[in-house]
Every structure is written in C-alpha cells, then in structure tokens.
Amino acid sequence: MSNEPGIWQNTTHARAMEVDVGRLGGIRRDPTFNSRNRDLHLVPEVLAYPADEATDQGEGSALMTLHPDGSISVADNGRGTGTRKDAHGRTVRKPVMATKDLRFFDSADAPLLPDGQPRRGMSVVAALSRWLVHTNRHTHGSWTRRYERGLPVTDLIPLADNGTTGTTVHFLSGPPCAPAPRYWYPSSKP
C-alpha cells in the first residue's frame, strides 16, 4: 500500500465515507443480530482480523481479555489498521469500525466463523457494542478512538510511538436495539 494521498485502493472498506450511519442502524435493527446468540458472535468476528493478519504475515498472536466490567479486549501484534497521511498531513485510516467490510457484509459466500454464523466485519461489533475503543499502532502513526453504538464519539487521539505495531479492540456488548448516540462530527475532514 502506498502512503501517498489518493493512491489507496478500496479492498476491504470504502474510504470515501468515514461513517455509514444507515448501515450501523440497520445492523442494530436486524433481528439476526438481536438473537440470544448475538453476543457470542462478536468475539469470533473480532478474532477473525488477527487470524487474517497472522495468515498474511506467516505468524502472529492475539490476546483476549475478559475485564471485570464484562468488556472484552482483543490485542494483536499485527501491522495495525492501515493508516496514511493525506495531502494536509492529517492521519487517514481505514474506516473499519463504522463502514461495511466490502469482502463479507453483503456476501452470500462470506466465510463461516466458529460460531457457525457468516463473517460480516467489525462494523457489526461496533454497532452492537455499548462502546468500543479501537487502538492502533502502525508504522504510519498510532492513535485511539472511542465509538458508541458504532458511531465515533472522539477524534483520532494520537499516541506516542512505543516501538510496536498491532491493533486492540476493547468493547462492551450492549442490549439489543439500544439507541445510538448523536453522531460526532470531526472538526476537520480529511
């Protein structure tokens, strides 16, 4: 992937849109995702990304942690979410949490996850979580961002480089059909 503005191909997520509010709401209203097994689907959906990364790189690991508040975090040692700088020097990253995964979401051929459900992408996890914090350590910049019901509620918050790469997704599943917060509008658009 190039780090030059405008040269990034849409292979997994369309970068023309940072948040697909309609799709996130559709996920929350979809009875498929509001079944009693819904929460059991979120963990394999998150773990599928470190598994992809390990396959692409020939090795890798992920650490899943169940926290006392019931939240779950999955941290991997992969390359981190794809990130680049735009023509104005602002960080632009793949919008994996708030837009559909072009490979899986509407595909009848989506691979089945260990729970027997088709893979749909991280936007399902974000939309069905009360909150989710996506922390990214990449060679082109490290940052964190918080989402509520799939919608970003903070800007990308830069993190100091610590010499590692990888992604951490920390989320707390929410009750079915809970309302979404008001969408946070960034102060500057890339």
Side-chain angles (χ1 to χ4, degrees):
M1 274 183 216
S2 172
N3 193 32
E4 294 182 37
I7 310 242
W8 219 347
Q9 293 180 333
N10 293 329
T11 57
T12 62
H13 294 80
R15 288 169 182 81
M17 166 186 312
E18 184 172 329
V19 177
D20 188 342
V21 175
R23 180 163 300 280
L24 294 168
I27 292 168
R28 285 189 296 277
R29 290 186 302 275
D30 186 329
T32 305
F33 297 120
N34 284 312
S35 72
R36 64 187 181 96
N37 295 325
R38 171 185 72 111
D39 290 347
L40 297 176
H41 180 72
L42 301 183
V43 171
E45 198 73 71
V46 174
L47 287 170
Y49 284 87
D52 286 348
E53 186 74 8
T55 299
D56 288 349
Q57 297 299 303
E59 65 178 358
S61 65
L63 174 64
M64 185 174 80
T65 305
L66 178 59
H67 299 274
D69 65 356
S71 65
I72 297 170
S73 62
V74 176
D76 70 51
N77 64 347
R79 294 171 289 189
T81 304
T83 306
R84 67 176 173 88
K85 298 286 185 180
D86 69 7
H88 304 286
R90 294 176 295 211
T91 301
V92 179
R93 64 16 176 182
K94 283 198 293 186
V96 297
M97 297 298 165
T99 63
K100 76 175 180 176
D101 190 310
L102 300 172
R103 302 167 295 172
F104 310 122
F105 196 88
D106 295 322
S107 173
D109 297 329
L112 295 180
L113 294 171
D115 66 350
Q117 298 299 313
R119 186 171 177 187
R120 295 295 182 231
M122 287 301 301
S123 62
V124 169
V125 179
L128 297 177
S129 295
R130 290 179 192 170
W131 54 263
L132 181 148
V133 177
H134 180 194
T135 301
N136 178 64
R137 294 199 175 274
H138 193 273
T139 56
H140 298 300
S142 298
W143 46 263
T144 190
R145 181 178 234 178
R146 182 180 171 96
Y147 296 79
E148 293 178 8
R149 299 281 176 223
L151 301 175
V153 294
T154 67
D155 201 351
L156 294 179
I157 300 167
L159 298 173
D161 183 16
N162 70 1
T164 66
T165 60
T167 302
T168 301
V169 176
H170 186 184
F171 66 98
L172 179 63
S173 178
C177 300
R182 198 173 118 206
Y183 172 52
W184 174 83
Y185 293 93
S187 57
S188 60
K189 295 213 177 219

